[in-house]
Amino acid sequence: LFSSAAGVFGNPGQANYAAANTFLDALAAHRRAQGLPATSLAWGLWAESSDMTGGLEDTDRARLARAGAEGLTTEHALGLLDLAPALPDALLVPIDLDLAALRRQAAAGALPPLYSSLVKAPTRQDTTSLRERLAGLDEADAKETLLEVIRQHVAVVLGHAAETVEAETGFAELGFDSLTAVELRNRLGGATGLRLPATLIFDNPTPAALAKYLAAELAGATATPEAARPEGPKSTPDSLDSIPVIYERLHAAGMSDKAWELLTIVAELRETFDSPEDLVDPPELVRLARGDADPAIICFTAPVALVGAGANSYSRFAANFRGVRDVWGIYPPGFATGQPLASSVEALIAVQAQAVLRQYSKGEDFVLLGTSSGGWFAHEVAHHLEREGVVPKGVVLVDTYTPKAAAGGTTGKILQVMNEGIFERQSTYGVMDGTRLTAMNAYQRLFGTTWEPTEITAPTLLVRALEHYVPDGTEAPDNPRSEWQATWDFPHTAIDVPGNHWTMMESEAPSTAAAVDAWIRGL
Protein backbone atom coordinates (compact mmCIF):
# COMPACT_ATOMS: atom_id res chain seq x y z
CA LEU A 1 0.00 0.00 0.00
CA PHE A 2 1.44 3.37 -1.01
CA SER A 3 0.65 5.70 1.88
CA SER A 4 2.13 9.04 2.96
CA ALA A 5 4.13 10.23 5.95
CA ALA A 6 1.46 12.96 6.29
CA GLY A 7 -0.67 10.35 8.04
CA VAL A 8 2.11 9.53 10.50
CA PHE A 9 3.35 13.00 11.39
CA GLY A 10 0.35 15.16 10.56
CA ASN A 11 0.64 18.05 8.13
CA PRO A 12 -0.96 21.51 8.52
CA GLY A 13 -3.68 22.08 5.96
CA GLN A 14 -3.85 18.40 4.92
CA ALA A 15 -6.11 16.81 7.52
CA ASN A 16 -8.22 15.02 4.90
CA TYR A 17 -5.14 13.72 3.05
CA ALA A 18 -3.55 12.56 6.30
CA ALA A 19 -6.73 10.74 7.32
CA ALA A 20 -6.99 8.97 3.94
CA ASN A 21 -3.44 7.69 4.22
CA THR A 22 -3.93 6.61 7.83
CA PHE A 23 -6.77 4.44 6.54
CA LEU A 24 -4.25 2.58 4.37
CA ASP A 25 -1.95 2.11 7.36
CA ALA A 26 -4.86 0.75 9.40
CA LEU A 27 -5.87 -1.58 6.57
CA ALA A 28 -2.40 -3.11 6.57
CA ALA A 29 -2.59 -3.65 10.34
CA HIS A 30 -6.09 -5.14 10.00
CA ARG A 31 -4.92 -7.66 7.39
CA ARG A 32 -1.87 -8.61 9.46
CA ALA A 33 -4.19 -9.26 12.44
CA GLN A 34 -6.10 -11.73 10.26
CA GLY A 35 -2.91 -13.48 9.19
CA LEU A 36 -2.98 -11.93 5.72
CA PRO A 37 -0.01 -10.23 4.04
CA ALA A 38 0.07 -6.43 3.84
CA THR A 39 2.66 -3.67 4.14
CA SER A 40 1.85 0.04 4.14
CA LEU A 41 4.68 2.33 3.08
CA ALA A 42 4.13 5.87 4.38
CA TRP A 43 6.42 7.61 1.93
CA GLY A 44 8.25 10.82 2.62
CA LEU A 45 9.08 13.32 -0.12
CA TRP A 46 10.67 12.05 -3.32
CA ALA A 47 13.26 14.32 -4.92
CA GLU A 48 12.00 13.67 -8.44
CA SER A 49 9.01 15.87 -9.26
CA SER A 50 5.65 14.21 -9.91
CA ASP A 51 2.04 15.25 -10.44
CA MET A 52 1.61 15.27 -6.66
CA THR A 53 4.73 17.28 -5.84
CA GLY A 54 5.04 19.40 -8.99
CA GLY A 55 3.07 22.20 -7.34
CA LEU A 56 5.53 22.53 -4.45
CA GLU A 57 7.26 25.89 -4.49
CA ASP A 58 10.78 26.60 -3.25
CA THR A 59 9.32 27.85 0.05
CA ASP A 60 7.43 24.57 0.50
CA ARG A 61 10.56 22.50 -0.11
CA ALA A 62 12.59 24.75 2.19
CA ARG A 63 10.01 24.25 4.95
CA LEU A 64 10.23 20.47 4.56
CA ALA A 65 14.03 20.64 4.64
CA ARG A 66 13.98 22.70 7.85
CA ALA A 67 11.69 20.07 9.32
CA GLY A 68 14.35 17.45 8.57
CA ALA A 69 12.76 15.79 5.52
CA GLU A 70 15.00 15.59 2.45
CA GLY A 71 13.88 14.22 -0.90
CA LEU A 72 14.47 10.54 -1.58
CA THR A 73 16.26 9.85 -4.85
CA THR A 74 14.35 7.45 -7.08
CA GLU A 75 17.15 4.87 -6.78
CA HIS A 76 17.11 5.08 -2.98
CA ALA A 77 13.30 4.89 -2.86
CA LEU A 78 13.17 1.82 -5.07
CA GLY A 79 15.83 0.17 -2.91
CA LEU A 80 13.63 0.75 0.16
CA LEU A 81 10.66 -0.69 -1.74
CA ASP A 82 12.65 -3.87 -2.43
CA LEU A 83 13.60 -4.11 1.23
CA ALA A 84 10.12 -3.55 2.70
CA PRO A 85 8.48 -6.98 2.10
CA ALA A 86 11.26 -8.70 4.04
CA LEU A 87 10.54 -6.69 7.21
CA PRO A 88 7.99 -7.84 9.80
CA ASP A 89 6.18 -4.51 10.31
CA ALA A 90 2.78 -3.68 8.84
CA LEU A 91 3.68 0.03 8.65
CA LEU A 92 7.02 1.39 7.48
CA VAL A 93 8.02 5.01 6.88
CA PRO A 94 10.54 5.32 4.02
CA ILE A 95 11.85 8.87 4.52
CA ASP A 96 15.24 10.56 4.18
CA LEU A 97 15.88 12.44 7.41
CA ASP A 98 18.46 15.17 7.94
CA LEU A 99 19.65 14.54 11.49
CA ALA A 100 21.48 17.88 11.61
CA ALA A 101 18.16 19.66 10.95
CA LEU A 102 16.52 17.59 13.66
CA ARG A 103 19.26 18.56 16.11
CA ARG A 104 18.61 22.23 15.30
CA GLN A 105 14.93 21.69 16.06
CA ALA A 106 15.84 19.98 19.30
CA ALA A 107 18.08 22.90 20.29
CA ALA A 108 15.14 25.26 19.70
CA GLY A 109 12.83 23.03 21.75
CA ALA A 110 10.69 22.21 18.71
CA LEU A 111 11.53 18.58 17.97
CA PRO A 112 8.41 16.50 17.15
CA PRO A 113 7.99 13.72 19.73
CA LEU A 114 8.20 11.02 17.07
CA TYR A 115 11.83 11.97 16.45
CA SER A 116 12.81 12.01 20.12
CA SER A 117 14.70 8.70 19.97
CA LEU A 118 16.78 9.81 16.98
CA VAL A 119 18.51 12.87 18.44
CA LYS A 120 19.20 14.00 21.96
CA ALA A 121 17.20 17.06 22.96
CA PRO A 122 18.98 19.49 25.31
CA THR A 123 17.34 20.54 28.53
CA ARG A 124 14.93 23.38 27.77
CA GLN A 125 14.55 26.52 29.81
CA ASP A 126 10.96 26.84 30.91
CA THR A 127 8.78 29.90 30.35
CA THR A 128 9.37 31.06 33.91
CA SER A 129 13.02 31.71 33.08
CA LEU A 130 12.05 34.15 30.32
CA ARG A 131 9.66 35.95 32.64
CA GLU A 132 12.34 36.10 35.32
CA ARG A 133 14.75 37.65 32.82
CA LEU A 134 12.14 40.27 31.91
CA ALA A 135 11.14 41.01 35.51
CA GLY A 136 14.26 42.99 36.30
CA LEU A 137 14.27 45.02 33.07
CA ASP A 138 12.77 48.39 32.22
CA GLU A 139 10.26 48.65 29.37
CA ALA A 140 12.84 49.38 26.65
CA ASP A 141 15.18 46.55 27.67
CA ALA A 142 12.26 44.12 28.00
CA LYS A 143 11.17 44.87 24.43
CA GLU A 144 14.74 44.44 23.18
CA THR A 145 15.01 41.07 24.95
CA LEU A 146 11.70 39.93 23.43
CA LEU A 147 12.84 41.18 20.03
CA GLU A 148 15.91 38.96 20.28
CA VAL A 149 13.71 35.98 21.23
CA ILE A 150 11.52 36.69 18.21
CA ARG A 151 14.57 36.96 15.93
CA GLN A 152 15.81 33.57 17.13
CA HIS A 153 12.50 31.87 16.45
CA VAL A 154 12.09 33.57 13.08
CA ALA A 155 15.57 32.30 12.19
CA VAL A 156 14.56 28.72 13.00
CA VAL A 157 11.23 28.92 11.16
CA LEU A 158 12.62 30.52 7.99
CA GLY A 159 16.17 29.23 8.06
CA HIS A 160 17.61 32.77 8.25
CA ALA A 161 20.47 33.94 10.43
CA ALA A 162 18.97 35.70 13.47
CA GLU A 163 21.09 38.82 12.94
CA THR A 164 19.58 39.33 9.47
CA VAL A 165 16.03 39.67 10.85
CA GLU A 166 15.52 43.43 11.10
CA ALA A 167 13.07 44.85 13.61
CA GLU A 168 11.02 46.87 11.12
CA THR A 169 11.01 44.39 8.23
CA GLY A 170 7.52 43.00 7.69
CA PHE A 171 6.90 39.30 8.22
CA ALA A 172 5.39 39.18 4.73
CA GLU A 173 8.61 40.53 3.19
CA LEU A 174 10.65 38.04 5.23
CA GLY A 175 8.73 35.28 3.46
CA PHE A 176 6.10 34.20 5.98
CA ASP A 177 3.00 32.43 4.76
CA SER A 178 0.08 31.06 6.73
CA LEU A 179 1.88 27.85 7.75
CA THR A 180 5.08 29.52 8.91
CA ALA A 181 3.00 32.18 10.70
CA VAL A 182 1.27 29.42 12.67
CA GLU A 183 4.64 27.80 13.43
CA LEU A 184 6.06 31.08 14.74
CA ARG A 185 2.93 31.70 16.82
CA ASN A 186 3.21 28.24 18.38
CA ARG A 187 6.91 28.68 19.14
CA LEU A 188 6.38 32.05 20.79
CA GLY A 189 3.46 30.67 22.76
CA GLY A 190 5.73 27.97 24.13
CA ALA A 191 8.51 30.44 24.91
CA THR A 192 6.28 32.95 26.70
CA GLY A 193 3.63 30.71 28.20
CA LEU A 194 0.97 32.96 26.66
CA ARG A 195 -2.09 31.81 24.76
CA LEU A 196 -1.52 33.73 21.55
CA PRO A 197 -4.22 34.46 18.94
CA ALA A 198 -4.28 32.81 15.51
CA THR A 199 -4.02 36.30 14.00
CA LEU A 200 -0.80 37.15 15.90
CA ILE A 201 1.37 37.87 12.84
CA PHE A 202 -1.49 39.63 11.05
CA ASP A 203 -2.15 41.97 13.98
CA ASN A 204 1.58 42.66 14.55
CA PRO A 205 3.21 42.65 11.10
CA THR A 206 6.85 43.35 12.09
CA PRO A 207 9.19 41.88 14.75
CA ALA A 208 9.23 45.27 16.53
CA ALA A 209 5.43 45.44 16.66
CA LEU A 210 5.29 41.85 17.86
CA ALA A 211 7.84 42.52 20.63
CA LYS A 212 5.73 45.47 21.80
CA TYR A 213 2.61 43.29 21.86
CA LEU A 214 4.28 40.44 23.76
CA ALA A 215 5.75 42.87 26.30
CA ALA A 216 2.28 44.26 27.02
CA GLU A 217 0.73 40.78 27.25
CA LEU A 218 3.44 39.52 29.60
CA ALA A 219 3.11 42.60 31.78
CA GLY A 220 -0.64 42.02 32.01
CA ALA A 221 -0.21 38.33 32.77
CA THR A 222 2.25 39.18 35.53
CA ALA A 223 0.05 41.89 37.01
CA THR A 224 -3.11 39.78 36.92
CA PRO A 225 -2.74 35.99 36.86
CA GLU A 226 -5.22 34.53 34.39
CA ALA A 227 -6.99 32.46 37.04
CA ALA A 228 -7.74 35.64 38.96
CA ARG A 229 -9.09 37.67 36.06
CA PRO A 230 -12.82 38.47 36.24
CA GLU A 231 -14.94 37.10 33.44
CA GLY A 232 -17.02 40.28 32.96
CA PRO A 233 -18.82 41.24 29.75
CA LYS A 234 -16.72 41.88 26.65
CA SER A 235 -16.83 45.30 25.00
CA THR A 236 -16.77 43.95 21.43
CA PRO A 237 -17.98 40.77 19.71
CA ASP A 238 -14.38 39.91 18.76
CA SER A 239 -14.24 37.20 21.40
CA LEU A 240 -17.37 35.38 20.20
CA ASP A 241 -15.50 32.34 18.99
CA SER A 242 -18.72 30.55 18.08
CA ILE A 243 -19.47 32.89 15.16
CA PRO A 244 -17.26 31.09 12.60
CA VAL A 245 -18.63 27.71 13.67
CA ILE A 246 -22.26 28.80 13.35
CA TYR A 247 -21.53 30.64 10.09
CA GLU A 248 -19.95 27.57 8.50
CA ARG A 249 -22.69 25.23 9.75
CA LEU A 250 -25.39 27.47 8.27
CA HIS A 251 -23.58 27.44 4.94
CA ALA A 252 -23.24 23.65 5.05
CA ALA A 253 -26.99 23.38 5.75
CA GLY A 254 -27.78 25.45 2.67
CA MET A 255 -28.79 28.52 4.69
CA SER A 256 -26.33 31.04 3.29
CA ASP A 257 -28.81 33.90 3.70
CA LYS A 258 -29.19 33.13 7.40
CA ALA A 259 -25.39 32.96 7.76
CA TRP A 260 -25.10 36.44 6.25
CA GLU A 261 -27.87 37.74 8.54
CA LEU A 262 -25.95 36.43 11.55
CA LEU A 263 -22.85 38.38 10.52
CA THR A 264 -24.91 41.49 9.85
CA ILE A 265 -26.41 41.49 13.34
CA VAL A 266 -23.04 41.06 15.06
CA ALA A 267 -21.25 43.53 12.75
CA GLU A 268 -23.74 46.24 13.70
CA LEU A 269 -22.65 45.85 17.34
CA ARG A 270 -19.03 46.62 16.56
CA GLU A 271 -17.33 49.92 17.27
CA THR A 272 -16.92 52.26 14.28
CA PHE A 273 -14.93 55.38 13.36
CA ASP A 274 -16.10 58.34 11.29
CA SER A 275 -12.77 59.87 10.20
CA PRO A 276 -9.05 59.04 10.16
CA GLU A 277 -8.56 61.23 13.23
CA ASP A 278 -10.68 58.79 15.26
CA LEU A 279 -8.15 55.97 14.79
CA VAL A 280 -5.41 55.63 17.40
CA ASP A 281 -3.45 53.10 15.32
CA PRO A 282 -4.32 53.51 11.61
CA PRO A 283 -3.19 50.80 9.17
CA GLU A 284 0.16 51.28 7.45
CA LEU A 285 1.62 49.90 4.24
CA VAL A 286 3.38 46.55 4.77
CA ARG A 287 6.34 45.87 2.49
CA LEU A 288 6.04 42.63 0.50
CA ALA A 289 8.94 43.04 -1.95
CA ARG A 290 11.87 45.40 -2.43
CA GLY A 291 13.42 46.69 -5.68
CA ASP A 292 14.71 49.78 -7.46
CA ALA A 293 12.37 50.00 -10.46
CA ASP A 294 9.62 52.60 -10.58
CA PRO A 295 6.73 52.70 -10.04
CA ALA A 296 6.00 50.78 -6.85
CA ILE A 297 2.87 48.64 -6.54
CA ILE A 298 0.48 49.13 -3.61
CA CYS A 299 -1.89 46.17 -3.16
CA PHE A 300 -5.27 46.55 -1.46
CA THR A 301 -6.55 43.47 0.32
CA ALA A 302 -10.10 42.46 -0.52
CA PRO A 303 -12.55 42.68 2.40
CA VAL A 304 -12.87 38.92 2.88
CA ALA A 305 -12.40 36.90 6.04
CA LEU A 306 -9.08 35.39 4.94
CA VAL A 307 -6.94 38.54 4.93
CA GLY A 308 -3.79 38.33 6.98
CA ALA A 309 -0.28 39.65 7.57
CA GLY A 310 -1.23 42.93 5.97
CA ALA A 311 -1.78 41.21 2.65
CA ASN A 312 -0.81 37.55 2.68
CA SER A 313 -3.10 36.95 -0.28
CA TYR A 314 -0.44 38.82 -2.31
CA SER A 315 2.60 36.86 -1.08
CA ARG A 316 2.96 34.72 -4.21
CA PHE A 317 2.30 37.68 -6.50
CA ALA A 318 4.80 39.92 -4.68
CA ALA A 319 7.50 37.23 -4.70
CA ASN A 320 7.86 37.77 -8.47
CA PHE A 321 8.93 41.40 -7.89
CA ARG A 322 11.62 40.86 -5.24
CA GLY A 323 14.76 42.56 -6.46
CA VAL A 324 12.70 44.33 -9.15
CA ARG A 325 10.31 46.87 -7.66
CA ASP A 326 8.76 47.74 -4.30
CA VAL A 327 5.46 46.03 -3.55
CA TRP A 328 3.36 47.00 -0.55
CA GLY A 329 0.18 45.63 0.97
CA ILE A 330 -2.50 47.31 3.02
CA TYR A 331 -5.51 45.80 4.73
CA PRO A 332 -8.70 47.67 5.67
CA PRO A 333 -9.11 48.66 9.35
CA GLY A 334 -11.40 46.44 11.38
CA PHE A 335 -9.89 43.08 10.42
CA ALA A 336 -7.35 43.08 13.25
CA THR A 337 -8.33 42.33 16.82
CA GLY A 338 -9.57 45.44 18.62
CA GLN A 339 -9.75 47.67 15.53
CA PRO A 340 -12.99 49.57 14.83
CA LEU A 341 -14.74 49.45 11.47
CA ALA A 342 -15.20 52.42 9.14
CA SER A 343 -18.72 53.83 9.38
CA SER A 344 -18.71 54.97 5.73
CA VAL A 345 -16.94 54.43 2.44
CA GLU A 346 -15.48 57.93 2.76
CA ALA A 347 -13.91 57.21 6.17
CA LEU A 348 -12.41 53.92 4.97
CA ILE A 349 -10.94 55.38 1.79
CA ALA A 350 -9.54 58.43 3.60
CA VAL A 351 -7.63 56.18 6.03
CA GLN A 352 -6.15 54.08 3.22
CA ALA A 353 -5.30 57.14 1.11
CA GLN A 354 -3.45 58.69 4.06
CA ALA A 355 -1.40 55.49 4.45
CA VAL A 356 -0.36 55.78 0.79
CA LEU A 357 0.57 59.45 1.16
CA ARG A 358 2.60 58.81 4.31
CA GLN A 359 4.84 56.49 2.31
CA TYR A 360 4.79 58.42 -0.98
CA SER A 361 4.67 62.08 -0.04
CA LYS A 362 7.36 63.44 -2.37
CA GLY A 363 5.83 62.85 -5.75
CA GLU A 364 7.13 59.30 -6.32
CA ASP A 365 5.30 57.14 -8.85
CA PHE A 366 3.08 54.29 -7.68
CA VAL A 367 0.43 51.97 -9.08
CA LEU A 368 -2.62 50.96 -7.04
CA LEU A 369 -3.75 47.34 -7.36
CA GLY A 370 -6.68 45.43 -5.94
CA THR A 371 -7.87 41.86 -6.38
CA SER A 372 -11.58 41.03 -6.45
CA SER A 373 -13.45 43.52 -4.23
CA GLY A 374 -10.06 44.92 -3.21
CA GLY A 375 -10.21 46.59 -6.62
CA TRP A 376 -13.01 48.78 -5.27
CA PHE A 377 -10.57 50.15 -2.71
CA ALA A 378 -7.81 50.69 -5.30
CA HIS A 379 -10.17 52.55 -7.64
CA GLU A 380 -11.74 54.70 -4.93
CA VAL A 381 -8.38 55.57 -3.33
CA ALA A 382 -7.21 56.67 -6.80
CA HIS A 383 -10.31 58.88 -7.09
CA HIS A 384 -9.68 60.32 -3.60
CA LEU A 385 -6.02 61.06 -4.38
CA GLU A 386 -6.84 62.66 -7.73
CA ARG A 387 -9.15 65.08 -5.97
CA GLU A 388 -6.14 66.07 -3.86
CA GLY A 389 -3.94 66.53 -6.94
CA VAL A 390 -2.04 63.22 -6.64
CA VAL A 391 -2.53 61.07 -9.74
CA PRO A 392 -1.39 57.43 -9.50
CA LYS A 393 0.68 56.11 -12.39
CA GLY A 394 -2.02 53.50 -12.94
CA VAL A 395 -4.70 51.32 -11.38
CA VAL A 396 -4.81 47.53 -11.74
CA LEU A 397 -8.04 45.63 -11.08
CA VAL A 398 -7.48 41.86 -10.80
CA ASP A 399 -10.75 40.07 -11.59
CA THR A 400 -12.77 42.92 -10.09
CA TYR A 401 -16.50 43.19 -10.73
CA THR A 402 -18.55 46.29 -10.05
CA PRO A 403 -20.69 45.90 -6.89
CA LYS A 404 -23.84 45.73 -9.03
CA ALA A 405 -22.42 42.93 -11.19
CA ALA A 406 -21.01 41.10 -8.16
CA ALA A 407 -24.38 41.06 -6.42
CA GLY A 408 -26.44 39.79 -9.35
CA GLY A 409 -27.35 40.53 -12.93
CA THR A 410 -25.98 38.48 -15.80
CA THR A 411 -22.99 37.35 -13.73
CA GLY A 412 -25.28 35.55 -11.28
CA LYS A 413 -24.44 36.54 -7.71
CA ILE A 414 -20.69 36.49 -8.24
CA LEU A 415 -19.95 37.76 -4.74
CA GLN A 416 -21.90 34.97 -3.06
CA VAL A 417 -20.09 32.32 -5.10
CA MET A 418 -16.69 33.89 -4.40
CA ASN A 419 -17.39 33.93 -0.67
CA GLU A 420 -17.89 30.16 -0.86
CA GLY A 421 -14.20 29.91 -1.78
CA ILE A 422 -13.09 31.05 1.66
CA PHE A 423 -14.05 27.69 3.16
CA GLU A 424 -11.76 25.89 0.72
CA ARG A 425 -8.83 28.18 1.54
CA GLN A 426 -8.68 28.46 5.31
CA SER A 427 -5.58 26.24 5.40
CA THR A 428 -3.83 28.56 2.93
CA TYR A 429 -4.67 32.01 4.27
CA GLY A 430 -5.60 31.47 7.90
CA VAL A 431 -8.56 30.46 10.00
CA MET A 432 -11.57 32.77 9.94
CA ASP A 433 -12.57 34.38 13.22
CA GLY A 434 -15.47 36.55 14.34
CA THR A 435 -13.51 39.76 13.81
CA ARG A 436 -12.70 39.01 10.19
CA LEU A 437 -16.12 37.60 9.31
CA THR A 438 -18.04 40.58 10.68
CA ALA A 439 -15.61 43.02 9.00
CA MET A 440 -16.15 41.23 5.69
CA ASN A 441 -19.89 41.53 6.12
CA ALA A 442 -19.74 45.22 7.07
CA TYR A 443 -17.59 46.34 4.14
CA GLN A 444 -19.31 44.25 1.49
CA ARG A 445 -22.64 45.70 2.61
CA LEU A 446 -21.18 49.21 2.74
CA PHE A 447 -19.93 49.11 -0.83
CA GLY A 448 -22.81 47.07 -2.15
CA THR A 449 -25.47 49.53 -1.01
CA THR A 450 -23.95 53.01 -1.15
CA TRP A 451 -21.00 53.05 -3.58
CA GLU A 452 -20.83 53.57 -7.32
CA PRO A 453 -17.39 53.90 -8.97
CA THR A 454 -16.55 57.25 -10.58
CA GLU A 455 -14.37 57.66 -13.66
CA ILE A 456 -10.72 58.42 -12.87
CA THR A 457 -7.86 59.93 -14.86
CA ALA A 458 -5.27 57.22 -14.13
CA PRO A 459 -4.99 54.49 -16.81
CA THR A 460 -6.69 51.29 -15.68
CA LEU A 461 -5.82 47.64 -16.36
CA LEU A 462 -8.45 44.93 -15.86
CA VAL A 463 -6.83 41.49 -15.46
CA ARG A 464 -9.42 38.79 -16.16
CA ALA A 465 -9.38 35.07 -15.32
CA LEU A 466 -9.53 32.62 -18.21
CA GLU A 467 -11.27 29.95 -16.12
CA HIS A 468 -14.70 30.08 -14.52
CA TYR A 469 -14.41 29.64 -10.73
CA VAL A 470 -16.89 27.29 -9.05
CA PRO A 471 -16.70 25.92 -5.47
CA ASP A 472 -15.40 22.38 -4.93
CA GLY A 473 -17.94 19.73 -5.82
CA THR A 474 -19.84 22.03 -8.17
CA GLU A 475 -19.86 21.51 -11.92
CA ALA A 476 -18.81 24.53 -13.96
CA PRO A 477 -21.67 25.84 -16.11
CA ASP A 478 -21.04 25.83 -19.84
CA ASN A 479 -21.50 29.58 -20.21
CA PRO A 480 -19.65 31.88 -22.62
CA ARG A 481 -17.01 34.09 -21.05
CA SER A 482 -19.11 37.17 -21.67
CA GLU A 483 -21.54 35.95 -19.01
CA TRP A 484 -19.04 35.41 -16.19
CA GLN A 485 -15.78 37.25 -16.92
CA ALA A 486 -15.12 40.46 -15.01
CA THR A 487 -16.12 43.72 -16.67
CA TRP A 488 -15.54 47.37 -15.76
CA ASP A 489 -17.71 50.37 -16.65
CA PHE A 490 -14.96 52.88 -17.44
CA PRO A 491 -12.12 53.06 -20.00
CA HIS A 492 -9.55 50.35 -19.39
CA THR A 493 -7.18 47.85 -20.96
CA ALA A 494 -8.27 44.23 -20.50
CA ILE A 495 -5.97 41.20 -20.54
CA ASP A 496 -6.66 37.54 -19.77
CA VAL A 497 -4.37 35.36 -17.66
CA PRO A 498 -4.42 31.64 -16.75
CA GLY A 499 -6.38 30.51 -13.71
CA ASN A 500 -9.68 31.29 -12.04
CA HIS A 501 -10.72 34.02 -9.61
CA TRP A 502 -8.60 32.50 -6.82
CA THR A 503 -5.76 30.64 -8.56
CA MET A 504 -4.69 33.64 -10.67
CA MET A 505 -3.10 34.96 -7.45
CA GLU A 506 -2.08 31.51 -6.18
CA SER A 507 -0.58 28.85 -8.49
CA GLU A 508 -0.88 31.16 -11.50
CA ALA A 509 0.54 34.21 -9.71
CA PRO A 510 3.74 34.27 -11.84
CA SER A 511 1.66 34.69 -15.02
CA THR A 512 -0.46 37.41 -13.41
CA ALA A 513 2.64 39.24 -12.15
CA ALA A 514 4.28 39.06 -15.58
CA ALA A 515 1.18 40.52 -17.24
CA VAL A 516 0.93 43.34 -14.70
CA ASP A 517 4.65 44.10 -14.96
CA ALA A 518 4.52 44.25 -18.77
CA TRP A 519 1.61 46.72 -18.62
CA ILE A 520 3.37 48.88 -16.02
CA ARG A 521 6.56 48.99 -18.12
CA GLY A 522 4.49 50.17 -21.07
CA LEU A 523 2.89 53.09 -19.25
Side-chain angles (χ1 to χ4, degrees):
L1 300 167
F2 274 60
S3 179
S4 167
V8 178
F9 297 105
N11 204 15
Q14 291 189 311
N16 52 349
Y17 178 66
N21 285 288
T22 301
F23 171 81
L24 296 183
D25 304 339
L27 176 59
H30 176 68
R31 286 181 58 85
R32 287 290 187 103
Q34 294 180 318
L36 300 171
T39 301
S40 184
L41 298 176
W43 290 98
L45 179 69
W46 284 40
E48 186 173 336
S49 183
S50 67
D51 286 346
M52 286 191 68
T53 61
L56 288 176
E57 298 182 350
D58 290 343
T59 53
D60 300 316
R61 292 183 179 276
R63 183 185 303 113
L64 289 169
R66 289 194 300 273
E70 296 190 329
L72 285 163
T73 65
T74 301
E75 182 181 12
H76 189 184
L78 293 177
L80 294 174
L81 175 63
D82 289 338
L83 177 63
L87 299 175
D89 303 277
L91 170 62
L92 298 167
V93 186
I95 187 171
D96 194 354
L97 293 176
D98 179 357
L99 295 184
L102 297 185
R103 282 191 288 271
R104 287 193 293 271
Q105 289 190 69
L111 185 71
L114 285 173
Y115 292 141
S116 59
S117 64
L118 299 179
V119 297
K120 183 178 179 180
T123 304
R124 292 186 60 194
Q125 291 183 320
D126 62 18
T127 58
T128 304
S129 64
L130 175 60
R131 295 192 181 186
E132 287 175 347
R133 287 167 57 197
L134 297 172
L137 302 177
D138 59 25
E139 184 178 351
D141 287 340
K143 288 179 184 177
E144 189 59 38
T145 299
L146 284 168
L147 182 59
E148 187 56 35
V149 171
I150 291 167
R151 283 192 174 110
Q152 291 170 355
H153 285 282
V154 168
V156 174
V157 172
L158 295 184
H160 293 176
E163 58 271 17
T164 67
V165 180
E166 297 181 4
E168 298 297 341
T169 301
F171 289 115
E173 185 183 1
L174 286 169
F176 274 86
D177 58 19
S178 60
L179 294 181
T180 46
V182 169
E183 185 179 349
L184 180 61
R185 188 275 308 265
N186 292 344
R187 286 175 175 275
L188 292 174
T192 61
L194 294 171
R195 183 179 179 182
L196 300 172
T199 57
L200 179 72
I201 307 304
F202 168 69
D203 294 346
N204 308 278
T206 66
L210 183 52
K212 179 180 178 182
Y213 169 82
L214 292 178
E217 289 296 301
L218 285 167
T222 303
T224 309
E226 190 161 343
R229 294 180 190 175
E231 287 298 318
K234 305 296 184 183
S235 59
T236 72
D238 296 347
S239 60
L240 299 181
D241 297 333
S242 59
I243 291 175
V245 176
I246 300 172
Y247 178 74
E248 194 161 355
R249 285 181 179 175
L250 287 170
H251 265 287
M255 295 187 285
S256 297
D257 291 344
K258 295 292 185 184
W260 198 246
E261 288 176 17
L262 166 71
L263 298 185
T264 299
I265 293 170
V266 182
E268 290 178 349
L269 296 174
R270 290 191 55 182
E271 181 185 357
T272 60
F273 67 91
D274 299 321
S275 71
E277 292 70 29
D278 297 336
L279 277 183
V280 176
D281 190 18
E284 299 285 350
L285 301 187
V286 176
R287 191 189 292 271
L288 306 176
R290 191 185 301 265
D292 296 328
D294 289 326
I297 303 174
I298 301 172
C299 303
F300 291 81
T301 302
V304 296
L306 297 179
V307 298
N312 72 352
S313 56
Y314 288 109
S315 58
R316 292 188 181 185
F317 173 81
N320 296 279
F321 292 96
R322 287 174 185 157
V324 179
R325 67 176 78 247
D326 285 350
V327 180
W328 304 83
I330 181 170
Y331 59 88
F335 280 82
T337 304
Q339 281 185 340
L341 295 164
S343 62
S344 65
V345 170
E346 292 75 18
L348 170 64
I349 296 304
V351 164
Q352 295 189 311
Q354 285 189 4
V356 173
L357 292 176
R358 278 193 295 273
Q359 189 65 45
Y360 291 94
S361 59
K362 299 178 182 178
E364 305 96 330
D365 286 335
F366 56 84
V367 167
L368 306 180
L369 180 147
T371 299
S372 188
S373 47
W376 305 344
F377 298 167
H379 179 94
E380 192 65 6
V381 168
H383 178 58
H384 180 100
L385 292 174
E386 288 184 357
R387 289 200 311 251
E388 296 189 7
V390 180
V391 180
K393 190 74 173 177
V395 174
V396 180
L397 308 175
V398 182
D399 220 43
T400 296
Y401 297 79
T402 62
K404 184 183 296 184
T410 57
T411 53
K413 293 192 175 180
I414 292 291
L415 196 59
Q416 180 177 335
V417 174
M418 298 312 175
N419 282 342
E420 296 290 336
I422 65 178
F423 296 113
E424 301 168 11
R425 284 166 166 77
Q426 288 194 69
S427 63
T428 301
Y429 296 117
V431 177
M432 298 181 294
D433 60 16
T435 301
R436 298 183 186 189
L437 282 167
T438 52
M440 175 182 74
N441 170 277
Y443 287 139
Q444 289 187 5
R445 284 188 296 112
L446 199 61
F447 275 79
T449 57
T450 66
W451 181 71
E452 288 284 344
T454 304
E455 187 170 353
I456 59 177
T457 302
T460 299
L461 172 68
L462 177 62
V463 185
R464 303 180 302 197
L466 276 171
E467 300 171 19
H468 193 178
Y469 168 74
V470 292
D472 281 352
T474 306
E475 186 175 348
D478 188 19
N479 295 342
R481 285 187 202 163
S482 60
E483 292 189 7
W484 57 263
Q485 264 195 325
T487 59
W488 196 245
D489 294 340
F490 301 108
H492 63 273
T493 299
I495 57 174
D496 297 336
V497 299
N500 61 39
H501 182 80
W502 290 93
T503 61
M504 61 196 302
M505 279 303 212
E506 296 171 349
S507 58
E508 301 293 348
S511 297
T512 304
V516 170
D517 192 52
W519 181 77
I520 289 175
R521 291 177 185 275
L523 288 174

